Amino acid sequence: MSKFKQKRPEPATESLTDKAFEVLDDTTKRDVSELGLEAPAVGSDSGKNTAARTPALSPKGAPGKEDLEFFQNRLDAIQSSLRMNIIGQEGLLRHLLLVLVGGGHILIEGVPGLAKTLAVRSMAESLQLNCKRIQFTPDLLPADLIGTMIFHQSKDEFVPRHGPIFTQILLADEINRAPAKVQSALLEAMGEQQVTIGDTSYKLPKPFFVMATQNPIEEEGTYPLPAAQLDRFDMKYVVRYPSPKDELELLMQYQHGQLGFQKTVCEAGETRGVEDEPPGKKRKDKPESQSKTQNKTQVEGHDEAHEDVHGYRLSPQDLFRMREIAGQIHLGEPLARYIINIVNATRETNSRLEFSRYLDLGASPRASLALCRYAALNALFSGRDHVLPHDIKVVCPAVLRHRLLLSYEAEAANQNADDVIQQILQTVVVP
């Protein structure tokens, strides 16, 4: 069974499109095999009606009713807390939460003034997480980001001085204004959850979440992100202007002082990040799970602003629990094959498929893993314990748009990454 919604030619005539199908099928076999699944033979009917025979959710280890209620209640609490500060921008808030719960990192593109910084600060406040903001500039050095070794005169030795990257939520503002050597300093932190200063590696606090922003309207004095770093971001989201209705509501609430950021103690420029230790003092990373006594003390130390309208006092432990519940969602074989077919379609740059002439480079296996993870999370966000093909389609643009390298022909035809992704989704057969 072909993976594409395209009529096959007559058996007596062999076209280049047929060869493209065969190449895709061979690639699908290899990638499915690496996932421990079994791909259907080319031309066989084994793929037909597999969705009816194979459940979309693995029954083993599926989240129970209590887990789903906990997840939804905490999600509603976080969203209501964010909406106290952010009017509109529902897509931005949803994608931020998807990546935060999914344990990844996100790249945000948009013009100034669209509440990108406010959104990540509000999210840190609602979950009582440390947050630091770094303004990337052309003269920024890697040591300004991760830290460096300084000489301790009394001990007559060099000791590490941790940089602002030692935090739980890092806002890398206008990341494309810093040179490549600074951008690459984030690679180890985003991929390995650690940084190396001198000859020693240091673990970063958990959770560690990077939200990077870039301004799309200015190119002078900017450095495009290399493909290796773009691939480290699980998603790229493009922020749009709010609707006139949302902007009117924002203006009216602002005039009456009803927005949350007008009342909060976290003023502009103030951070709740990790403070720099004096020379010679070793930094002790907090463990991922704290004792109940420590958690209780931490929660009681905050004001009533952290208690949401739902009556929950949100904490980092809620986030860890939500991640555990999300990890119990598993895709069935038909949906796993559907993801692989989508990603493989982005790599067919030499076939006769309509969209292939717009592609120079396709998505890496990280895209397959990200589609699998965030499709499951999107199902949970929608209150379901099973994944549908719709969930995969919803997260596809954010997962793939920054991983595709478009050709000059795409630019000449005024086709962007989102246009190509929509053509792929319309071509690949839905299970």
Side-chain angles (χ1 to χ4, degrees):
M1 177 182 177
S2 170
K3 297 180 291 300
F4 298 115
K5 298 176 182 177
Q6 185 170 339
K7 294 182 179 180
R8 301 295 299 271
E10 295 297 329
T13 305
E14 182 182 11
S15 67
L16 291 176
T17 307
D18 286 323
K19 296 180 180 179
F21 289 141
E22 293 176 4
V23 171
L24 281 176
D25 283 333
D26 291 339
T27 309
T28 301
K29 286 180 182 179
R30 182 179 64 252
D31 290 349
V32 173
S33 176
E34 291 175 356
L35 289 179
L37 304 175
E38 182 179 355
V42 179
S44 69
D45 295 332
S46 58
K48 293 183 179 180
N49 300 324
T50 51
R53 298 196 303 267
T54 307
L57 173 69
S58 175
K60 183 178 180 180
K65 183 178 179 180
E66 294 182 359
D67 290 335
L68 294 176
E69 289 180 354
F70 176 91
F71 188 97
Q72 196 62 47
N73 290 338
R74 293 309 187 271
L75 178 64
D76 292 342
I78 298 173
Q79 289 177 332
S80 63
S81 178
L82 293 177
R83 290 183 182 122
M84 294 174 62
N85 289 335
I86 311 296
I87 303 298
Q89 302 294 5
E90 292 296 326
L92 172 62
L93 300 182
R94 185 180 183 90
H95 283 78
L96 281 176
L97 289 174
L98 276 172
V99 179
L100 179 65
V101 178
H105 312 284
I106 189 170
L107 177 64
I108 304 293
E109 183 177 287
V111 299
L114 297 183
K116 300 185 293 294
T117 302
L118 179 60
V120 72
R121 284 190 179 277
S122 301
M123 187 168 60
E125 285 292 318
S126 65
L127 286 166
Q128 304 182 41
L129 297 175
N130 297 324
C131 177
K132 281 192 174 180
R133 174 182 176 272
I134 302 174
Q135 180 66 47
F136 280 63
T137 56
D139 60 346
L140 195 69
L141 297 175
D144 299 328
L145 179 65
I146 66 175
T148 186
M149 301 292 291
I150 62 174
F151 184 73
H152 195 288
Q153 189 172 5
S154 62
K155 293 186 177 182
D156 195 26
E157 64 179 4
F158 284 91
V159 295
R161 179 84 170 191
H162 292 161
I165 201 172
F166 285 89
T167 186
Q168 292 172 309
I169 295 184
L170 178 67
L171 173 58
D173 207 0
E174 293 190 295
I175 189 175
N176 58 331
R177 289 198 177 276
K181 62 182 180 180
V182 180
Q183 297 170 0
S184 62
L186 280 175
L187 285 178
E188 183 183 13
M190 295 170 60
E192 308 297 333
Q193 306 289 303
Q194 67 178 19
V195 296
T196 301
I197 303 176
D199 57 356
T200 306
S201 295
Y202 300 90
K203 291 291 184 182
L204 294 171
K206 294 184 179 181
F208 179 68
F209 170 71
V210 175
M211 170 184 157
T213 68
Q214 62 180 13
N215 190 339
I217 61 176
E218 296 176 351
E219 295 184 358
E220 185 177 356
T222 61
Y223 302 83
L225 292 173
Q229 185 167 342
L230 283 174
D231 203 33
R232 298 280 183 175
F233 290 99
D234 287 11
M235 286 187 173
K236 176 184 176 181
Y237 183 75
V238 181
V239 187
R240 309 294 183 186
Y241 284 112
S243 65
K245 179 181 178 181
D246 290 335
E247 198 164 0
L248 176 61
E249 183 180 354
L250 171 66
L251 182 60
M252 298 305 295
Q253 291 196 24
Y254 179 78
Q255 290 187 100
H256 295 87
Q258 297 176 348
L259 294 175
F261 69 84
Q262 295 176 281
K263 307 172 185 178
T264 183
V265 296
C266 187
E267 300 292 345
E270 180 184 354
T271 61
R272 298 175 57 244
V274 181
E275 297 180 354
D276 290 333
E277 294 82 10
K281 182 177 179 181
K282 294 183 178 180
R283 180 182 181 276
K284 295 181 179 179
D285 291 330
K286 294 182 180 179
E288 179 176 349
S289 58
Q290 299 177 345
S291 64
K292 294 182 179 179
T293 304
Q294 291 174 326
N295 184 37
K296 182 178 180 181
T297 304
Q298 179 188 19
V299 172
E300 290 179 352
H302 285 71
D303 53 36
E304 294 299 322
H306 293 294
E307 183 169 356
D308 191 78
V309 294
H310 295 262
Y312 302 115
R313 288 182 179 269
L314 300 172
S315 69
Q317 283 66 34
D318 292 323
L319 176 61
F320 294 136
R321 177 72 189 284
M322 293 172 72
R323 287 183 175 182
E324 290 179 3
I325 296 173
Q328 298 175 18
I329 299 291
H330 300 283
L331 296 181
E333 182 180 341
L335 293 183
R337 189 183 301 113
Y338 180 51
I339 289 176
I340 292 173
N341 290 342
I342 291 174
V343 175
N344 280 335
T346 68
R347 303 167 185 165
E348 290 307 305
T349 59
N350 296 321
S351 72
R352 288 296 184 89
L353 299 172
E354 177 64 25
F355 54 81
S356 64
R357 60 194 178 100
Y358 299 136
L359 293 168
D360 275 347
L361 184 67
S364 73
R366 282 198 184 105
S368 303
L369 299 176
L371 284 174
C372 179
R373 179 163 64 253
Y374 293 109
L377 272 173
N378 190 76
L380 280 175
F381 274 44
S382 302
R384 288 181 278 106
D385 62 352
H386 59 279
V387 182
L388 301 176
H390 173 73
D391 297 310
I392 299 174
K393 291 183 176 182
V394 167
V395 300
C396 250
V399 170
L400 295 179
R401 63 164 58 102
H402 59 295
R403 291 182 162 98
L404 303 182
L405 182 60
L406 301 184
S407 64
Y408 289 109
E409 192 171 355
E411 184 177 356
N414 198 26
Q415 295 287 307
N416 58 30
D418 288 352
D419 297 328
V420 176
I421 292 170
Q422 290 304 317
Q423 293 183 42
I424 292 175
L425 293 178
Q426 293 172 5
T427 304
V428 179
V429 176
V430 179

